[in-house]
Amino acid sequence: MAVDIVMPQMGESIFEGTITKWLKKPGDKVERDEPLFEISTDKVDAEIPSPSAGVLKEIKVGEGQTVPIQTIVGVIDAAGSTAASSAPAPVKTPPAAAPAPAAPRPAAPAPAAAPAAAASSSSSSTSERIHSSPLVRRMAKERGIDLSAIQGTGAGGRISKQDIEAVIAAGGAPAATPPAYSAPTPAVVSRPALPPPAAAPGVSGGQAHVALETAVPREKMYFGSYEVQPMSPMRQRIAEHMVASKRVSAHVYSVDEIDMTKVAALRAKSKDEFERRYETKLTFMPFFVKAAVAGLRAFPTLNASLDGTNVILHKEINVGIAVALDWGLLVPVVKNADEKNILGIQRNMNDLAERARSKKLKPEEVQESTFSITNPGVFGGLFGLPVISQPNVGILGLGAIEKRPVVINDSIAIRSMCYVTLSYDHRVVDGAIAHQFLHKVKETLENWNEPIL
């Protein structure tokens, strides 16, 4: 019996996904719930388990392709099928020289006249809800494309990434100024220009990063003394989010120094018993989370987001913790951090970090943060100036904790010191509030009085 493998919906706001890697090949035996392929979405990378035991008969969607949810991406012959031993079907991959939008798409011709149609019916189209993903809306905004004039080909008339690419290929909408992250080309470097890869006709400049997934093979290319590495889907998302944050938020930075001697001594005294009793290691991060919670309670302006001209002050305190991965960066969220003690925060963080590294996070676990913390100090950094994680208005950066000579009561002493930085959105947060917040964090850590065990 044949069992279809479908692109799953990894969250309410996610309507398409990119297959980054197949973990099995046609003819391989698979068990139910065994990881089958990896996908990348706007929110998270994840491994998708097999829906059935059997033999992978066919792969319908190759690596690097982006398809809507519920698309059949492969077929499994259920366990015991007599067809399991037959020759496996070849992987279907898009031809390198042909642009993806050239496939039969009823929506592609329509956008060519979209601007004119939009002008005459703007009053009716603006009142209707446009179904699209954040990635699609961002692509449309960057290129000046009117989404209300596009007939979506996705589920329920949803406008997909392929629909936007079809509009661009058809030349039916004006292109906006190329985004900052797509500007570098081989011509910028004082080296011979790259020979044109098998790219889609008419795609250049600001459209290059759109064609990358469909027209250029997702593999390294070597040119004499240098090589070209296509950005992974996750790296593309990171680039988009970081550029958008710098473009949207008015970044300002404040720096302070914290004496971590008391916390360091308490951790050193308690960490062995903590690990023996609770079977989890005790790091410095939960101390910083608790101190940040104290600061956010005292100065709720930093536990906010901006919606147009409205400031949204959040009642919950959900702290995003940046996790460095071999293939990129994720910010899983410790929900309701203000309701957890040191043990609860540590366990929650360890669980999120482990599942982030094994690609088992759920989309909702990287959403709804109200404030973020990143820790470049764990890699030896003295301090950093992090980019705000949207839609937050602040992010705390932690430097390395190291012993330094400091002056205390006119005497020189050796103390465990740490630089901390606060990046904040000056549209919402003023410098006075930022420094008062940092002072509260500093005061909480230097006068720590909460029990650990």
Side-chain angles (χ1 to χ4, degrees):
M1 179 181 69
V3 177
D4 291 335
I5 308 165
V6 301
M7 176 64 71
Q9 183 168 14
M10 297 296 291
E12 291 185 1
S13 62
I14 297 175
F15 299 96
E16 60 187 10
T18 301
I19 294 183
T20 57
K21 182 179 181 181
W22 278 96
L23 304 176
K24 298 288 184 179
K25 61 182 182 295
D28 284 353
K29 183 178 179 181
V30 295
E31 300 295 334
R32 181 179 176 85
D33 296 328
E34 180 182 5
L36 191 56
F37 61 97
E38 296 178 358
I39 67 169
S40 179
T41 71
D42 284 354
K43 304 297 182 183
V44 69
D45 283 9
E47 290 182 345
I48 305 304
S50 173
S52 172
V55 174
L56 180 58
K57 179 181 179 182
E58 182 182 8
I59 293 177
K60 293 180 175 289
V61 177
E63 295 178 356
Q65 289 185 264
T66 301
V67 295
I69 60 171
Q70 303 306 318
T71 298
I72 298 176
V73 300
V75 178
I76 290 177
D77 265 357
S81 172
T82 56
S85 60
S86 61
V91 177
K92 296 183 180 179
T93 56
R105 290 183 182 277
S120 61
S121 60
S122 59
S123 60
S124 61
S125 61
T126 53
S127 62
E128 299 176 0
R129 183 180 177 184
I130 299 175
H131 297 282
S132 61
S133 70
L135 174 61
V136 167
R137 291 193 293 272
R138 183 163 56 249
M139 290 173 63
K141 182 178 180 181
E142 289 170 354
R143 289 159 185 79
I145 297 174
D146 183 6
L147 288 177
S148 64
I150 298 177
Q151 180 65 42
T153 60
R158 182 168 300 280
I159 301 173
S160 68
K161 180 180 177 181
Q162 284 81 3
D163 294 328
I164 296 295
E165 291 172 349
V167 175
I168 295 171
T177 302
Y181 54 84
S182 64
T185 65
V188 177
V189 184
S190 57
R191 291 171 176 166
L194 294 177
V203 178
S204 61
Q207 302 173 9
H209 77 288
V210 177
L212 187 61
E213 290 186 9
T214 57
V216 180
R218 303 296 301 171
E219 57 185 21
K220 295 180 182 179
M221 294 179 288
Y222 298 92
F223 301 95
S225 61
Y226 65 98
E227 68 181 49
V228 176
Q229 296 183 353
M231 295 173 73
S232 67
M234 173 178 277
R235 181 53 56 186
Q236 293 179 50
R237 304 296 187 272
I238 293 172
E240 292 165 358
H241 294 166
M242 294 300 96
V243 171
S245 182
K246 294 291 284 188
R247 184 172 62 244
V248 169
S249 293
H251 280 66
V252 183
Y253 311 96
S254 295
V255 183
D256 210 333
E257 189 176 25
I258 299 176
D259 186 345
M260 294 290 293
T261 303
K262 188 172 183 178
V263 170
L266 180 60
R267 175 181 174 271
K269 178 182 177 181
S270 307
K271 64 179 183 179
D272 292 339
E273 175 63 19
F274 188 92
E275 185 173 358
R276 185 193 66 80
R277 184 181 300 184
Y278 304 122
E279 298 182 347
T280 187
K281 291 185 177 180
L282 178 62
T283 67
F284 282 104
M285 184 60 80
F287 294 93
F288 284 105
V289 173
K290 291 290 288 184
V293 166
L296 295 171
R297 280 175 171 165
F299 303 97
T301 304
L302 275 154
N303 194 53
S305 57
L306 195 62
D307 181 13
T309 57
N310 298 319
V311 177
I312 311 299
L313 298 174
H314 301 286
K315 294 182 179 180
E316 296 178 343
I317 298 180
N318 301 330
V319 180
I321 308 293
V323 176
L325 307 171
D326 291 340
W327 57 91
L329 180 74
L330 283 176
V331 187
V333 181
V334 177
K335 302 287 181 70
N336 300 307
D338 53 324
E339 299 177 1
K340 294 179 170 68
N341 60 12
I342 289 290
L343 174 60
I345 293 173
Q346 185 71 75
R347 278 182 169 166
N348 199 175
M349 289 193 318
N350 289 349
D351 173 61
L352 291 169
E354 178 62 30
R355 289 191 291 112
R357 296 185 179 98
S358 60
K359 299 185 178 180
K360 297 186 185 300
L361 281 179
K362 300 175 183 177
E364 58 266 25
E365 292 174 324
V366 293
Q367 298 177 6
E368 300 180 0
S369 68
T370 59
F371 187 79
S372 300
I373 300 177
T374 184
N375 186 14
V378 74
F379 304 108
L382 190 61
F383 65 84
L385 302 176
V387 178
I388 297 169
S389 179
Q390 298 296 322
N392 300 167
V393 297
I395 180 171
L396 188 68
L398 311 178
I401 299 174
E402 56 183 16
K403 291 186 177 182
R404 292 196 291 269
V406 296
V407 176
I408 299 178
N409 296 327
D410 294 332
S411 297
I412 296 178
I414 304 300
R415 311 289 286 181
S416 296
M417 305 300 293
C418 174
Y419 288 110
V420 294
T421 58
L422 178 67
S423 304
Y424 56 98
D425 190 339
H426 211 343
R427 298 176 303 165
V428 179
V429 183
D430 291 331
I433 297 296
H435 283 278
Q436 289 177 78
F437 168 84
L438 280 179
H439 181 75
K440 182 64 176 180
V441 172
K442 174 184 176 75
E443 181 183 57
T444 302
L445 291 167
E446 291 185 345
N447 301 283
W448 187 270
N449 57 12
E450 182 175 329
I452 304 303
L453 299 172

